[in-house]
Amino acid sequence: MATLKIEKDINVVRDCFWAHENSFDKLYSECLKEVAQTQFSKERYYYIYPFENELNRQKRGKLLKKQPSRLKNIHECGFDSEGNLICVTEHISESIRKTMIIENASEYITAFTFIGGNHMLQNVTRIFHDASDQVYAVINWGMYGWRFDRFKYDMQGLLKQVERTAKEHQSDKMTDSTFNLSYANGLLDSITQHYSNGYECKIYP
């Protein structure tokens, strides 16, 4: 499995953020050309990395059979002709939207999230995967800070642990924590987050 050098790769994602701060129109128009299918969900339904919702303390949404009449608290997901998720628009209200544009490369996926009417870049998330498409790291660089997650699996391929290092831009200190995942009959049963200072909390369910 490939490894990352935390400082180097965080700086690469940081530079990607700065380079695309004003790129919404270009990225979005190019993305729309590739959309072959659209699906709608109540709250967030699709992941871009394993247990994304659960690790961020969010419940998984419900897939809808058709486009609802009102686009409020609705996620609109666009897929390309190969079934890859390439665009997600979160309709927070009739007038407020958050749009994530996803680019797929051979060794990683890059997601650009823009918010508001002026399409401000909120964060860039880069998901690193190996040749078997197993995610082994996620880097997020945002308006207020960054985080670096390392994914560890057991021999059966179940995600067992996520090691996280995070830092706010205005802070001089980094925060380290570990997410431990447990399963029952092969299904996720709980996630507990342990901090380096000894504090721990259950974040799922």
Side-chain angles (χ1 to χ4, degrees):
M1 181 175 290
T3 58
L4 299 177
K5 295 181 179 179
I6 182 168
E7 184 176 355
K8 175 184 176 182
D9 288 286
I10 286 174
N11 288 343
V12 170
V13 179
R14 175 202 64 191
D15 293 346
C16 182
F17 180 96
W18 290 344
H20 290 85
E21 284 185 290
N22 300 305
S23 298
F24 175 82
D25 291 336
K26 180 176 183 294
L27 291 174
Y28 190 58
S29 61
E30 291 178 352
C31 179
L32 287 181
K33 294 176 185 178
E34 302 298 322
V35 173
Q37 181 185 7
T38 302
Q39 294 185 1
F40 296 87
S41 66
K42 184 70 174 177
E43 304 299 342
R44 188 163 188 168
Y45 183 81
Y46 291 104
Y47 298 95
I48 57 174
Y49 57 85
F51 300 119
E52 179 183 5
N53 283 9
E54 290 84 352
L55 290 170
N56 291 295
R57 302 187 183 189
Q58 297 173 348
K59 293 183 178 180
R60 191 172 188 180
K62 178 182 179 182
L63 192 63
L64 303 177
K65 294 182 178 180
K66 61 181 181 179
Q67 179 176 343
S69 57
R70 291 189 62 203
L71 294 178
K72 182 178 181 181
N73 296 326
I74 296 296
H75 283 68
E76 180 180 352
C77 304
F79 300 83
D80 64 15
S81 59
E82 297 181 355
N84 297 310
L85 182 66
I86 59 174
C87 183
V88 179
T89 299
E90 179 183 354
H91 297 273
I92 299 171
S93 69
E94 298 288 348
S95 59
I96 302 174
R97 298 189 305 174
K98 178 187 291 185
T99 302
M100 180 171 65
I101 301 165
I102 302 166
E103 293 185 346
N104 294 277
S106 59
E107 297 180 354
Y108 55 78
I109 298 168
T110 305
F112 304 87
T113 301
F114 295 86
I115 58 172
N118 59 352
H119 305 304
M120 181 181 298
L121 182 58
Q122 184 182 47
N123 60 69
V124 172
T125 305
R126 183 158 287 179
I127 302 101
F128 296 85
H129 56 82
D130 59 22
S132 64
D133 288 333
Q134 189 176 65
V135 171
Y136 62 86
V138 173
I139 297 175
N140 180 282
W141 180 281
M143 296 167 56
Y144 305 110
W146 58 260
R147 75 172 188 269
F148 188 110
D149 292 345
R150 305 167 191 82
F151 289 62
K152 297 185 176 182
Y153 302 83
D154 65 13
M155 296 298 293
Q156 287 71 45
L158 290 175
L159 179 63
K160 296 295 292 184
Q161 195 173 77
V162 179
E163 296 178 346
R164 172 170 293 180
T165 300
K167 180 181 177 298
E168 295 180 0
H169 295 321
Q170 295 181 343
S171 174
D172 295 328
K173 296 182 179 180
M174 292 185 292
T175 301
D176 293 312
S177 63
T178 301
F179 298 85
N180 290 321
L181 294 81
S182 64
Y183 299 81
N185 299 319
L187 299 176
L188 181 66
D189 182 60
S190 69
I191 303 177
T192 304
Q193 187 174 12
H194 302 262
Y195 290 87
S196 56
N197 63 4
Y199 175 76
E200 66 177 59
C201 61
K202 189 173 183 180
I203 67 168
Y204 177 87

